[in-house]
Amino acid sequence: TEAGFGADIGMEKFFNIKCRYSGLTPQCVVLVATVRALKTHGGGPAVKPGQPLDPVYKQENLELLGAGCCNMQHHVRNALKFGVNVVVAVNKFATDTENEIALVKQKAEEAGAIAVMSNHWALGGAGAIDLANAVVETCAKTRADGNKFKFLYPLEMSLVDKITKICVEIYGADGIKLEPIAEKQLEQYEKQGYGNLPICMAKTHLSLSTDPSLKGVPTGFTVVVREAPASVGGGFL
């Protein structure tokens, strides 16, 4: 499954909603990282559509890259919370240096992942063979050791507590604040017997927080829940 928009959004939904209903038990998470993206999380200049990339994204800058690797590490740790082994695919581009690739791999391994450079951008399928082998080996190890996949929260948990669990454990928030309409909706769903449904959160994919301008691993923020529409037929709120 391609669970996009960052592991804090796509992966969390896939695990807590799709796997719960389908009975799927993932054997491996492939987390894709690029040097350029990690540089943005290290404090690099904003990347704007239609404008040339700042030179910092085309030249070696280990300090900027190292500062941004905390974001990747946070996503790795999030995946490990579900009991699934992680392979970080370092998606190499022409301007990436050997030192930069090595640094990303080192930081990924420090967070508990296996890290492999994938050069399919330049070499096509041949450039992804090492990555494919790492995924196959990781899946085989999971089967041999016994699949330890687990959900982030039980369905019996209250709706407010499930939302809080996602925001605190996955996004890194201090907590949540419910707007009046959201609070009223959640209370109504609990009374109607829908309190045991999983949660499908919607927020920006540009930050772990709800503020797209906050890069890296933001702290000290509260997630404001504005409303909580129900998709009872779909099996989630």
Side-chain angles (χ1 to χ4, degrees), residues 16-35:
N16 282 319
I17 302 176
K18 184 172 181 179
C19 290
R20 200 184 296 265
Y21 282 120
S22 67
L24 293 171
T25 52
Q27 299 176 6
C28 176
V29 167
V30 179
L31 185 71
V32 181
T34 66
V35 167

Side-chain angles (χ1 to χ4, degrees), residues 87-148:
V87 174
V88 169
V90 186
N91 191 2
K92 185 179 187 300
F93 289 90
T95 54
D96 300 340
T97 69
E98 291 185 7
N99 288 333
E100 289 177 327
I101 296 295
L103 179 59
V104 176
K105 290 174 65 177
Q106 174 192 331
K107 295 295 185 180
E109 290 168 355
E110 288 175 0
I114 295 169
V116 181
M117 186 272 286
S118 184
N119 198 19
H120 53 278
W121 181 84
L123 303 177
I129 290 176
D130 288 345
L131 171 61
N133 287 333
V135 172
V136 169
E137 292 169 6
T138 299
C139 290
K141 184 178 186 301
T142 298
R143 292 192 298 270
D145 295 344
N147 197 313
K148 298 178 176 62

Side-chain angles (χ1 to χ4, degrees), residues 205-223:
H205 63 284
L206 298 174
S207 172
L208 286 165
S209 73
T210 55
D211 181 348
S213 68
L214 297 180
K215 304 302 183 182
V217 181
T219 58
F221 66 94
T222 298
V223 173

Side-chain angles (χ1 to χ4, degrees), residues 4-16:
F5 292 108
D8 54 319
I9 304 178
M11 183 193 71
E12 184 273 315
K13 292 178 173 62
F14 174 71
F15 283 163
N16 282 319

Side-chain angles (χ1 to χ4, degrees), residues 40-43 67-68 70-72 74-75 206-208 214-218:
T40 68
H41 282 290
C70 62
N71 181 270
M72 172 190 63
H74 186 92
H75 287 298
L206 298 174
S207 172
L208 286 165
L214 297 180
K215 304 302 183 182
V217 181

Side-chain angles (χ1 to χ4, degrees), residues 37-210:
L38 294 174
K39 284 180 176 179
T40 68
H41 282 290
V47 177
K48 299 180 180 179
Q51 296 187 16
L53 275 176
D54 188 280
V56 73
Y57 294 113
K58 300 179 181 181
Q59 300 168 359
E60 183 174 290
N61 190 318
L62 299 180
E63 181 179 359
L64 191 64
L65 176 60
C69 281
C70 62
N71 181 270
M72 172 190 63
Q73 292 177 318
H74 186 92
H75 287 298
V76 170
R77 288 190 289 266
N78 276 347
L80 294 175
K81 289 178 181 179
F82 292 90
V84 185
N85 293 321
V86 182
V87 174
V88 169
V90 186
N91 191 2
K92 185 179 187 300
F93 289 90
T95 54
D96 300 340
T97 69
E98 291 185 7
N99 288 333
E100 289 177 327
I101 296 295
L103 179 59
V104 176
K105 290 174 65 177
Q106 174 192 331
K107 295 295 185 180
E109 290 168 355
E110 288 175 0
I114 295 169
V116 181
M117 186 272 286
S118 184
N119 198 19
H120 53 278
W121 181 84
L123 303 177
I129 290 176
D130 288 345
L131 171 61
N133 287 333
V135 172
V136 169
E137 292 169 6
T138 299
C139 290
K141 184 178 186 301
T142 298
R143 292 192 298 270
D145 295 344
N147 197 313
K148 298 178 176 62
F149 174 70
K150 58 186 177 181
F151 301 117
L152 183 68
Y153 54 80
L155 292 180
E156 295 74 22
M157 186 179 283
S158 72
L159 294 175
V160 172
D161 286 347
K162 281 183 277 198
I163 293 171
T164 302
K165 186 81 169 178
I166 294 171
C167 294
V168 173
E169 292 290 326
I170 302 299
Y171 307 158
D174 288 342
I176 69 170
K177 177 184 177 182
L178 297 176
E179 294 287 354
I181 185 172
E183 186 174 11
K184 182 178 179 181
Q185 288 172 317
L186 293 172
E187 289 176 355
Q188 181 180 359
Y189 300 150
E190 293 278 9
K191 292 177 181 177
Q192 292 174 325
Y194 301 137
N196 64 341
L197 290 177
I199 302 297
C200 184
M201 301 284 287
K203 73 170 188 70
T204 180
H205 63 284
L206 298 174
S207 172
L208 286 165
S209 73
T210 55

